[in-house]
Amino acid sequence: MNHLPQAWGRPRDDVYGAYDNSHFQTNGPTTHTQSPIVTGTSVVAAKFKDGVVIAADNLASYGSLARFTDVKRLRKFNSLSVVGFGGDVSDMQYLDRLLNSLDIRENYSSTDPENALNAKNLHTYLAKVMYKRRSDFNPLWNHLLIAGLDGEGKPFLASADLLGTTFSSPTLATGFGAHLAQPIMRRVIPDEAAVAGVSKEDAIKLVKESMKVLFYRDARSMDQYSIAVITKEGVELKENEKLENQSWEFAERIRGYGTQVN
Amino acid sequence: MFANCSRQLINPALADAPSRRSARRLERLIWEMCEIDPKRIHVEWEAALPAPRPEQTAPNSTSLAASTHPTPTPHPTCLLPEAVELHSPPPRHPAIMTSIGTGYDLSNSVFSPDGRNFQVEYAVKAVENGGTAVGIRCKDGVVLALEKLITSKLLKPGANKRIASVDRNIGVVSSGLLPDGRHFVSRARDEAANWRSLYKGPIPTSALANRMGSYVQLYTLYSSVRPFGVTAIVGGWDSEAELPVDGQVGSGPKVGSGGKSEGDKKGGPFLYMIEPSGLYWGYYGAATGKGRQIAKSELEKLNLTEGSLSLEEGVKAAARIIYIAHDDNKDKEFELEMTWISSLSGPTKGRHEPVPKELQEEAEKLAKKALEGDDDDEEDEKMEE
Amino acid sequence: MFRNNYDNDSVTFSPQGRIFQVEYASEAVKQGSVVVGVVSKTHAVLAAIKRNAEELSSYQKKIIPIDSHYGVALAGLASDGRVLSNFMKQQSLASRLTYDRAIPLSEITLRIADRAQTNTQQYGKRPYGVGLLIAGVDAKGPHLFEFQPSGVTHEMIACGIGARSQMARTYLERHLDDFESCGREELIKHALRALKESLSQDKELTVDNTSVGVGGIGENFALFEGQDIAEWLDATFENREAQDDDDEEEGDAMETDS
């Protein structure tokens, strides 16, 4: 028996022949994340006259498996801003720790709300982080929505994705929501000018309706969700909401796949 | 004369520097690219130089005590912000007198034949001239207080805060050289951030005191640096509740590995004081700076070992102690700065914050009243004599 | 060669706990020509005396705009001031780039102060030989900070540093209560009068030797020199005598104090 530690746990040469070390060779290019692992689906958000509403469900999927059902994907940064995360959950956790350390540092220089980083500052920063990582070929596999108030206290909503792309609009949705929720929300808030006519209640109703449609049609979604409203009064975050007034009647009318034949 | 020429350039600030977060790195990267080559820095005066100072020969050891003290015109905000007696002749302290001229006190990290590091002792001298700083460990929190001597009327009142936060639950107040105090705080913050990146939670106050003690001690080891000219009081509240791990997004496991343990008693108020030597102790009540002797004797009267003093009483006691320790004859005016950290159920919810204005005003009013009372007592006693 | 054994470097404490090298560096500030700063509720003003090495040379820069919201005035080693102001420019730009935010003045002041502190605790480095007044406006309104070679910084209502600056400070202390409610023009006048106090008797503030920097809420920090300040000078010193050219030539020697 070979007592050298190198041989421990290896197939014995005398029985299986010499070990083929070529298996250990790595000749390929250095690679980083090629795909997300545990993922969160859509985040939806809409501006209204005094602030922003943002929502995301509490599911983290592992492929098609509904792996974790109490994952909170809206993170409050301070009294002026909330970040919603779509995409890889571990990258979201990394970003959450990054924002936590940023917040601690910010409080060192001043605890006054006037000097606090607002949602616009936060978006600029996060977009820089995302772009830096994609330029390192090591992206953070997320699509972020940053909701809150800007330097003038006006509603602010913008997105940053894994490539560092930024986009802003009175309504925004990531992932599946970009296809399914955006058209619904745009019908109510077509442009920036329309925001002034939207009340908080309207916006909440609109976002909840979008979450419901997403639950109907997105197979990686769930009916438990978080919703946050950011206004001058601060952040009102609820993390255990349940979709109400569901009606699956429409499912009966779906034809063309599954067990139906006609 | 240039005994120091062979000094190795060792920089403890770089020793085991905590890894930075990429946020900071990003920002730093941007300006590092533009950093100036130090070799290109050359000295040039704004305009023609005035006549050089008359040269003086190096005094020998016997004449040193009398001739070593140049008298630059006092600037109200010199290195020591407090009105230090920078320009008075040195005190004839016997211990100091033996050190001067022996040569053992000219370089850091050098032992004298009787086993002392004089440079560290001199650093303590810088602390002894600073405004009084006090820390009190109460049953449900910690109070930090500082006497800030007003060196100029032109200072913006209430703007120059000096008690700093480390993470969210720890406060640092220091006495001595102001910039050294900031260096201390900046390292403490790095240590706290480093702890978080490793353990995904806030640093316990005891661990911070330990790390800072080690850091300060490093500055007594090399001739290429000088010791810290500050004594720092570190007060913190370690959470008594189970905290979520940083980045935690769900509820986490309820049992088993990584699960919750019920009924453990943990957290509470902590107070440490770190000296220029790197020495530190835990305290019930700590004081440093000019008025430390008076402050210490006042702290002893509070019977802090009983652990019954409430946080609010602590605030009032701290204010009173600063007022009592303040030397009216030497320093005219001062500003009182106070911060506190309460339990999670208390007024600051476990965070280090300034004492609210109303409470501080009340505490100061009581302190002034107590002072007047004291004066009366003294007069009474004299009368009796 | 040295006054005593404790003033060779900035890593040696004297038996009284002083660091002479740092104190000497503070002396360098007093060699520079005077600069003053004042703040009101809405504005921050810097004013400075510029020197020229000789008649035909240009005047030394005293006020440097750093970012659109603030600038600095320096007294002492100009090259050290340039190193620090370059650093401040980089930091300010980085803040705009990463956060889209004008850097808070307290923050930038602390950053140079921490840099200066390192120079006082390590062998082989020397303290900076320059004092700065940092003035401008951030999210919390107008501010004025004083920076010293030791790494000490203070937020001030008004301040003067440099040669004979005690006279300016005396003026500022006398009018301390007036500044807060001052309008823009009135504040500039105060700054110029304080500056004038520090000048030797035979010297005058002229469009050539005076710099003014103004920042305010809703107003970018701007540097004013030459004819741009003529009106302010006229308005501030209404009954001054006509400019005498002979005065200026002797002026420089008179002004240096040591």
Side-chain angles (χ1 to χ4, degrees), chain B residues 188-258:
Chain B
R189 288 169 174 175
D190 283 355
E191 292 290 358
N194 181 234
W195 181 281
R196 259 192 199 270
S197 71
L198 263 174
Y199 303 111
K200 314 273 177 267
I203 189 170
T205 313
S206 59
L208 182 75
N210 180 274
R211 285 182 174 207
M212 289 315 293
S214 307
Y215 186 65
V216 169
Q217 190 267 159
L218 279 181
Y219 280 77
T220 68
L221 288 177
Y222 309 101
S223 59
S224 55
V225 292
R226 62 171 172 80
F228 274 81
V230 288
T231 290
I233 298 175
V234 176
W237 179 273
D238 296 352
S239 174
E240 69 273 39
E242 185 105 39
L243 288 177
V245 168
D246 282 0
Q248 181 175 315
V249 288
S251 45
K254 305 259 183 312
V255 289
S257 174

Side-chain angles (χ1 to χ4, degrees), chain B residues 62-351:
Chain B
T62 46
S63 67
L64 237 155
S67 67
T68 47
H69 305 286
T71 49
T73 38
H75 186 276
T77 44
C78 206
L79 176 67
L80 305 168
E82 294 93 358
V84 179
E85 306 146 87
L86 278 178
H87 314 292
S88 54
R92 308 281 167 138
H93 191 271
I96 298 291
M97 291 308 288
T98 56
S99 63
I100 295 172
T102 58
Y104 292 107
D105 68 340
L106 292 175
S107 175
N108 193 12
S109 86
V110 169
F111 276 121
S112 76
D114 49 352
R116 298 161 61 179
N117 182 347
F118 284 114
Q119 275 295 309
V120 172
E121 293 182 22
Y122 295 172
V124 172
K125 289 279 162 200
V127 176
E128 289 174 358
N129 288 324
T132 314
V134 165
I136 303 178
R137 181 177 172 278
C138 308
K139 96 177 155 216
D140 49 356
V142 184
V143 187
L144 301 175
L146 174 67
E147 170 204 29
K148 286 186 293 190
L149 300 170
I150 295 175
T151 48
S152 163
K153 276 193 213 163
L154 298 173
L155 285 166
K156 186 171 174 185
N160 294 285
K161 294 279 179 263
R162 271 182 48 196
I163 307 183
S165 295
V166 172
D167 209 300
R168 293 189 176 102
N169 60 322
I170 297 173
V172 177
V173 61
S174 58
S175 188
L177 308 183
L178 241 82
D180 285 22
R182 279 204 322 272
H183 177 186
F184 182 95
V185 167
S186 142
R187 177 64 182 208
R189 288 169 174 175
D190 283 355
E191 292 290 358
N194 181 234
W195 181 281
R196 259 192 199 270
S197 71
L198 263 174
Y199 303 111
K200 314 273 177 267
I203 189 170
T205 313
S206 59
L208 182 75
N210 180 274
R211 285 182 174 207
M212 289 315 293
S214 307
Y215 186 65
V216 169
Q217 190 267 159
L218 279 181
Y219 280 77
T220 68
L221 288 177
Y222 309 101
S223 59
S224 55
V225 292
R226 62 171 172 80
F228 274 81
V230 288
T231 290
I233 298 175
V234 176
W237 179 273
D238 296 352
S239 174
E240 69 273 39
E242 185 105 39
L243 288 177
V245 168
D246 282 0
Q248 181 175 315
V249 288
S251 45
K254 305 259 183 312
V255 289
S257 174
K260 317 257 186 290
S261 53
E262 300 285 326
D264 286 359
K265 196 182 158 356
K266 48 185 175 284
F270 292 94
L271 186 67
Y272 294 89
M273 184 158 78
I274 299 153
E275 295 166 29
S277 59
L279 178 81
Y280 74 94
W281 296 97
Y283 288 86
Y284 289 103
T288 180
K290 244 181 212 178
R292 66 198 172 286
Q293 297 297 359
I294 302 169
K296 273 180 196 166
S297 66
E298 287 298 320
L299 282 168
E300 279 165 19
K301 291 181 200 163
L302 295 174
N303 294 114
L304 292 165
T305 45
E306 286 169 13
S308 57
L309 192 77
S310 77
L311 188 57
E312 206 166 305
E313 287 166 336
V315 168
K316 286 167 187 166
R320 186 166 47 79
I321 291 171
I322 294 289
Y323 269 85
I324 293 173
H326 175 71
D327 191 342
D328 263 332
N329 303 324
K330 273 195 196 150
D331 312 303
K332 287 219 174 67
E333 279 182 77
F334 75 101
E335 207 174 81
L336 173 66
E337 185 178 340
M338 284 205 289
T339 63
W340 62 352
I341 315 128
S342 79
S343 63
L344 289 180
S345 54
T348 80
K349 300 182 177 61
R351 295 167 73 102

Side-chain angles (χ1 to χ4, degrees), chain C residues 173-206:
Chain C
E173 277 179 27
R174 239 183 2 247
H175 296 85
L176 196 57
D177 300 328
D178 308 340
F179 300 142
E180 191 177 325
S181 53
C182 270
R184 183 176 186 267
E185 302 304 307
E186 202 45 46
L187 199 65
I188 294 169
K189 278 186 190 172
H190 273 303
L192 289 173
R193 284 196 205 107
L195 202 63
K196 174 75 172 66
E197 291 289 314
S198 286
L199 242 49
S200 48
Q201 288 296 326
D202 54 332
K203 276 213 78 177
E204 285 273 8
L205 293 179
T206 69

Side-chain angles (χ1 to χ4, degrees), chain A residues 163-178:
Chain A
L163 302 175
T165 316
T166 59
F167 187 71
S168 186
S169 158
T171 61
L172 278 175
T174 73
F176 226 88

Side-chain angles (χ1 to χ4, degrees), chain B residues 31 70 77 86 105 160 224, chain C residues 3 6 18 91 123 148 155:
Chain B
W31 60 263
T77 44
L86 278 178
D105 68 340
N160 294 285
S224 55
Chain C
R3 290 191 176 196
Y6 303 103
R18 299 164 62 179
Q91 294 285 303
Y123 190 75
Q148 291 181 294
E155 176 156 17

